[in-house]
Amino acid sequence: MEQKVRVRFAPSPTGPLHIGGVRTALYNYLFAKQHKGDFVLRIEDTDSQRFVPGAEAYIIEALTWLGLKFDEGVHLGGDFGPYRQSERKGIYKQYVDQLINDGLAYYAFDTPAELEQKRNEIKNFQYDASTRSMMRNSLTLSEEETKTLIENGEQYVVRFKIEPHEDVVVDDLIRGEVVINSSILDDKVLYKSADSLPTYHLANIVDDHLMKITHVIRGEEWLPSAPLHVLLYRAFGWTDTMPRFAHLPLLLKPEGNGKLSKRDGDRLGFPVFPLEWKDPKTSEISSGYRESGYLPEAVVNFLALLGWNPGNDEEILSMERLIELFSLEKCSKSGAKFDYEKGKWFNHQYIQLKPNAEIAELYTPYLKEHQVSVDIEYVEKVVGLVKERVNFVKELWDQSFFFFVAPTSFDEKTVKKRWKEDSPAQLAELSEVLKNIDDFSAHNQEEIVKAWIESKAYHLGNIMNAFRLAIVGESKGPHMFDITEAIGKEETLKRLDYAIKNISANV
Ligand code: GLU
């Protein structure tokens, strides 16, 4: 029987989730759902020094906002819990002991000062096969001495004993075979007696094993740890059930080289976090995609294509479609430039795709801010007329305020350019024409008004420009008769009258 696919997103709660981390979570989710597998949230909080309060809740809120649903996790429970490593403390020690008993790990008692001294003595010091014999550890001390030190409560760490001169192969689903010689690896610390906690490496491997994880999909920054992880699986005798690895390419700066950073976002004006984040220590606020007005679907679509593409020119991809098409094999090996302008483009596309009713709901709070309260059906209609002009819901006001409030002042430049000597008289005539129209639909108005302009041999452009100035207050907006149809005959006539009285006074 095929093994059930199980993947995990395993963040350390050290701050807000970076947008690159969101992409990692997304790819895990897509992969899991495509294979009808499980998507697990595990919190890797064994490094208490770096723990940041609120980070875990932030991660859950962000991924929930984006529609990434976990099957198991710290917030949901499941058959493989607990899902927070600090709550799994009791689980790890036996695995550390197993490695020690098998001679694959050892106790090391070197104090920070002793290590520092060695670093000063030996250039490029690394705790490994070439140096471990000079150190204070259970390989150099007698069994008796080691036992006494531990019994006396001396602090120690457990180090993994890496044999040198071996090519370790990491078979990566994105990068192919990555070979690293074990001589460059150091004897990594797996456990610390000081807090009775394993380090990331040990906890990560033990948990992936116990949680029956089949695929480890994570950022490229973890690739250097992968050979160590392969060796750990072997040391435990778990090679047969070792997960497949897939290391995702980096997200790169929009311009220049290097990894995308928060500073790039600050400098160029785009968020690098999914949600707004307030640093609990400094109270510094970092902007988020949600608060900046991005729709979750747009963020998902945008991120999905940063490092992967479906191999055709499909660009607008719903979550369902992404689940269908996603493949690790099509992920690129090289970094993906973070093109934030494209992010805006996606938001624009999703605003067009969403039903007007939904956008109208999102627009309502902004209308309230401007003390506008009207029927939602009216808002819906307005949204339909102007949404093609915006990238964000918050930009709708600037494109549609005149559907809700009559102009009381008129843009000076437009007045100079568009308000001719005969404008007041012509608009007064136009007002009469409009007054007699019963069917005030855009189409009918247009037909009648154009016929009148023609019969009078007036200049179409002049009339329409002055008309727009009177109704809108400046020279913007969608099709003129769509506006007048929406605001209605009475309001149209009122605005014409006001403009005639007030603009003419200026000329
Ligand atoms: N805790 C690691 C992180 O914060 C997890 C790396 C992994 O997925 O193995 O990214």
Side-chain angles (χ1 to χ4, degrees):
M1 200 184 86
E2 272 271 300
Q3 211 188 345
K4 185 174 196 195
V5 164
R6 287 176 56 81
V7 299
R8 83 306 192 263
F9 182 55
S12 299
T14 56
L17 186 60
H18 186 271
I19 200 74
V22 177
R23 187 198 54 176
T24 299
L26 172 63
Y27 284 15
N28 272 284
Y29 175 77
L30 297 177
F31 185 79
K33 294 303 114 186
Q34 179 174 74
H35 292 94
K36 313 245 175 307
D38 296 328
F39 178 46
V40 178
L41 176 61
R42 183 173 75 224
I43 298 293
E44 303 209 322
D45 59 347
T46 55
D47 186 351
S48 52
Q49 304 279 316
R50 296 182 61 216
F51 179 83
V52 173
E56 180 185 308
Y58 176 97
I59 292 165
I60 294 169
E61 191 180 339
L63 299 179
T64 304
W65 175 62
L66 291 165
L68 307 191
K69 294 184 210 70
F70 287 98
D71 299 289
E72 292 162 34
V74 69
H75 55 316
L76 298 169
D79 293 344
F80 298 83
Y83 293 90
R84 199 179 281 115
Q85 287 183 331
S86 57
E87 289 169 22
R88 299 172 66 78
K89 231 174 168 170
I91 294 175
Y92 305 111
K93 188 64 169 52
Q94 57 178 299
Y95 294 99
V96 178
D97 291 344
Q98 181 189 329
L99 294 182
I100 293 176
N101 292 337
D102 292 348
L104 300 170
Y106 58 92
Y107 298 103
F109 300 95
D110 318 270
T111 62
E114 286 166 345
L115 287 168
E116 185 55 33
Q117 196 189 333
K118 273 284 177 286
R119 273 189 214 107
N120 291 336
E121 272 169 33
I122 303 172
K123 213 176 146 211
N124 299 327
F125 171 80
Q126 175 167 284
Y127 211 121
D128 61 15
S130 70
T131 58
R132 61 172 87 105
S133 60
M134 308 173 207
M135 309 301 289
R136 217 154 63 86
N137 54 45
S138 56
L139 302 174
T140 57
L141 300 167
S142 71
E143 211 171 303
E144 241 348 271
E145 282 172 306
T146 303
K147 221 175 129 203
T148 313
L149 285 175
I150 294 174
E151 276 168 10
N152 289 349
E154 183 112 349
Q155 298 219 329
Y156 64 85
V157 298
V158 174
R159 288 183 181 270
F160 190 34
K161 190 168 171 239
I162 292 187
E163 301 303 339
H165 314 303
E166 190 205 333
D167 280 339
V168 184
V169 180
V170 178
D171 186 10
D172 190 285
L173 286 165
I174 297 173
R175 282 145 213 279
E177 283 196 354
V178 179
V179 184
I180 287 177
N181 195 278
S182 63
S183 298
I184 68 163
L185 304 173
D186 66 331
D187 288 355
K188 273 274 176 305
V189 172
L190 301 179
Y191 183 85
K192 292 193 225 105
S193 70
D195 52 10
S196 314
L197 276 174
T199 58
Y200 154 74
H201 298 289
L202 184 98
N204 187 268
I205 298 310
V206 168
D207 286 348
D208 281 349
H209 175 71
L210 294 178
M211 294 180 180
K212 294 198 172 5
I213 298 303
T214 58
H215 295 78
V216 166
I217 304 167
R218 61 185 173 189
E220 179 176 272
E221 63 274 26
W222 299 99
L223 185 58
S225 302
L228 169 70
H229 294 177
V230 168
L231 291 174
L232 273 170
Y233 276 103
R234 192 184 357 173
F236 283 122
W238 299 335
T239 309
D240 288 351
T241 54
M242 183 168 80
R244 300 295 310 271
F245 288 105
H247 289 93
L248 304 173
L250 278 181
L251 289 187
L252 303 174
K253 295 178 182 306
E255 46 197 42
N257 293 320
K259 204 175 139 182
L260 174 72
S261 72
K262 175 164 148 42
R263 241 174 310 137
D264 298 313
D266 293 344
R267 188 167 51 88
L268 299 165
F270 62 87
V272 297
F273 300 119
L275 314 179
E276 192 173 273
W277 167 257
K278 185 172 173 195
D279 188 299
K281 272 213 193 102
T282 62
S283 291
E284 188 200 342
I285 297 205
S286 305
S287 65
Y289 277 84
R290 182 177 65 183
E291 291 72 14
S292 303
Y294 284 84
L295 299 169
E297 296 90 336
V299 177
V300 163
N301 197 154
F302 169 51
L303 285 181
L305 292 171
L306 287 173
W308 168 83
N309 73 75
N312 56 29
D313 51 13
E314 262 181 84
E315 253 190 319
I316 302 297
L317 299 147
S318 66
M319 192 72 99
E320 290 75 58
R321 189 77 180 130
L322 288 169
I323 290 170
E324 230 174 277
L325 296 177
F326 183 74
S327 84
L328 288 170
E329 287 73 19
K330 287 215 182 80
C331 285
S332 85
K333 290 191 194 40
S334 50
K337 255 195 198 318
F338 195 79
D339 181 359
Y340 60 98
E341 288 297 339
K342 192 79 194 205
K344 291 184 194 164
W345 181 84
F346 275 110
N347 213 53
H348 175 85
Q349 298 301 322
Y350 277 90
I351 288 180
Q352 311 318 307
L353 283 171
K354 271 199 186 279
N356 294 339
E358 221 172 295
I359 303 295
E361 287 293 342
L362 296 173
Y363 187 20
T364 306
Y366 296 94
L367 289 172
K368 282 221 178 84
E369 256 174 51
H370 289 96
Q371 280 84 44
V372 170
S373 98
V374 289
D375 285 353
I376 192 75
E377 288 78 27
Y378 182 68
V379 181
E380 221 178 293
K381 184 170 177 163
V382 172
V383 162
L385 291 172
V386 300
K387 71 176 185 177
E388 65 181 3
R389 295 156 186 263
V390 303
N391 291 334
F392 297 97
V393 170
K394 65 179 173 210
E395 292 169 356
L396 282 170
W397 176 255
D398 195 45
Q399 296 298 333
S400 68
F401 59 88
F402 43 86
F403 283 99
F404 306 103
V405 286
T408 48
S409 65
F410 299 88
D411 178 61
E412 242 175 75
K413 264 199 203 143
T414 317
V415 171
K416 262 201 193 111
K417 211 162 134 200
R418 309 287 199 206
W419 198 255
K420 313 278 175 200
E421 220 183 322
D422 42 10
S423 294
Q426 288 176 341
L427 288 199
E429 264 184 70
L430 170 62
S431 185
E432 283 307 311
V433 173
L434 292 171
K435 201 182 283 172
N436 292 322
I437 301 180
D438 289 329
D439 165 11
F440 216 63
S441 66
H443 175 77
N444 196 46
Q445 285 183 64
E446 179 165 3
E447 220 174 80
I448 294 174
V449 169
K450 284 200 171 149
W452 160 72
I453 292 173
E454 216 167 290
S455 72
K456 295 284 186 156
Y458 287 155
H459 187 275
L460 177 70
N462 286 353
I463 300 263
M464 293 310 290
N465 287 334
F467 188 21
R468 184 174 295 276
L469 175 63
I471 300 299
V472 173
E474 50 190 291
S475 65
K476 64 157 39 154
H479 186 55
M480 202 46 229
F481 295 106
D482 283 336
I483 304 176
T484 50
E485 177 190 314
I487 63 175
K489 182 150 108 179
E490 200 184 319
E491 178 69 15
T492 302
L493 299 179
K494 221 160 83 186
R495 291 191 193 185
L496 278 173
D497 185 50
Y498 183 89
I500 292 164
K501 287 188 179 126
N502 290 278
I503 304 180
S504 49
N506 297 336
V507 187

